[in-house]
Amino acid sequence: MTSQHPTIGGLLRSLRARKGWTLKQMSEHAGIPLSTLSKVEHDRLTLTYDKLLQLAQRLQLRMSELFAEDVEAVEPPVTARRSIGRIEDAIRVTTPNYDYFYLCPELRRKRMIPVLTRVRAKTIEEFGELVHHSGEEYIHVLEGRMEVHTEFYDPIVLETGQSVYIDSNMGHAYIAAEGCDEVLLLGVCSSSDEQLLESLMTLHGEESAAQQRKAAARLSPPVATTAKTPRKKAAARKKS
């Protein structure tokens, strides 16, 4: 009878299949000779603990991940969830830069957050610091022209009907392009973080607070730094 327990060879084959690598690519990434890996995968040779540790380190995996069995055959459950996105049912959040309308709010623990956004900021100076949050996002311009600012790319202008897909961990900002008063966007934010919506709400609070601090700084009168103190004025009178 054959053993029901997975072998090192079977686990390595599963790992290689998950990464979509050839045996040669696996050898190059792991730093283990191709002939050795071939023998291991065919259960004609095993690896010592030191070699397994080297394999995990070179592939930037934990040992537990290295020995994780392939679970692709397990089908995800069908949730049969459905929600109609109506603007009147959306959660509205207003910040100095945007009006957000979070759609389908009755669905909890969503992996995607659909949101309509009306952009009012017209300059990056008015917008303030770039925004960062977990996950990725897709933004489609429904009305107007949008200027996209990101941490690692030059700004770009998107016309109505055009879109952008970005890594949300990268600093980003969307503003109305020159000659455009407002822009209407449809966005979809996605993350493995099940609390993504709560994280975005917290981010809005921080954005509003930062804008309020910025506005207060603009309105505050400058502090005089050249005025003489009473002691210095008295000293000046004695000299005279």
Side-chain angles (χ1 to χ4, degrees):
M1 292 179 62
T2 59
S3 172
Q4 297 300 311
H5 298 290
T7 64
I8 295 294
L11 291 170
L12 287 185
R13 282 196 302 273
S14 296
L15 174 63
R16 187 160 61 82
R18 290 201 300 271
K19 291 186 172 292
W21 288 345
T22 64
L23 196 61
K24 182 179 179 181
Q25 289 173 318
M26 182 74 158
S27 171
E28 292 170 349
H29 283 87
I32 296 175
L34 189 150
S35 59
T36 300
L37 280 180
S38 177
K39 291 176 183 177
V40 172
E41 286 200 4
H42 287 87
D43 297 322
R44 295 200 300 268
L45 187 68
T46 188
L47 292 176
T48 63
Y49 176 81
D50 290 343
K51 285 294 185 183
L52 287 172
L53 186 59
Q54 173 189 326
L55 185 67
Q57 290 174 341
R58 291 288 296 269
L59 300 183
Q60 297 182 334
L61 295 172
R62 296 189 297 271
M63 289 290 275
S64 58
E65 292 177 291
L66 184 61
F67 290 104
E69 293 186 64
D70 190 1
V71 294
E72 291 181 357
V74 179
E75 293 186 5
V78 178
T79 63
R81 298 205 299 174
R82 194 191 82 160
S83 176
I84 307 301
R86 298 185 179 91
I87 192 69
E88 58 268 23
D89 298 329
I91 295 176
R92 180 173 180 175
V93 178
T94 299
T95 74
N97 293 322
Y98 300 140
D99 283 335
Y100 298 95
F101 297 87
Y102 286 95
L103 303 169
C104 309
E106 72 275 15
L107 293 182
R108 300 304 180 199
R109 301 174 67 181
K110 295 191 288 289
R111 294 188 179 181
M112 297 186 298
I113 308 296
V115 54
L116 282 173
T117 304
R118 194 169 290 280
V119 182
R120 294 189 303 275
K122 296 181 177 62
T123 66
I124 195 63
E125 291 76 19
E126 178 186 353
F127 185 93
E129 294 183 5
L130 299 181
V131 174
H132 304 73
H133 57 85
S134 65
E136 299 177 328
E137 61 191 80
Y138 171 81
I139 303 294
H140 188 95
V141 183
L142 296 177
E143 297 175 5
R145 301 170 65 244
M146 173 179 70
E147 190 170 297
V148 181
H149 290 257
T150 50
E151 190 173 358
F152 304 118
Y153 298 89
D154 292 333
I156 185 173
V157 173
L158 297 181
E159 307 287 342
T160 298
Q162 295 182 328
S163 59
V164 63
Y165 188 111
I166 68 166
D167 173 2
S168 307
N169 293 282
M170 173 177 60
H172 57 281
Y174 308 128
I175 64 175
E178 185 177 358
C180 187
D181 290 332
E182 285 189 343
V183 186
L184 182 62
L185 311 175
L186 172 63
V188 179
C189 299
S190 176
S191 172
S192 57
D193 178 10
E194 293 184 348
Q195 305 301 317
L196 176 60
L197 180 57
E198 288 78 1
S199 299
L200 292 173
M201 292 296 185
T202 302
L203 187 65
H204 301 333
E206 293 172 352
E207 178 187 341
S208 296
Q211 286 284 353
Q212 289 168 7
R213 289 194 298 269
K214 190 174 179 181
R218 286 199 301 267
L219 294 173
S220 299
V223 178
T225 57
T226 57
K228 296 179 179 178
T229 63
R231 183 175 297 175
K232 289 182 178 179
K233 287 182 179 179
R237 284 198 297 270
K238 285 183 180 179
K239 289 182 179 179
S240 62

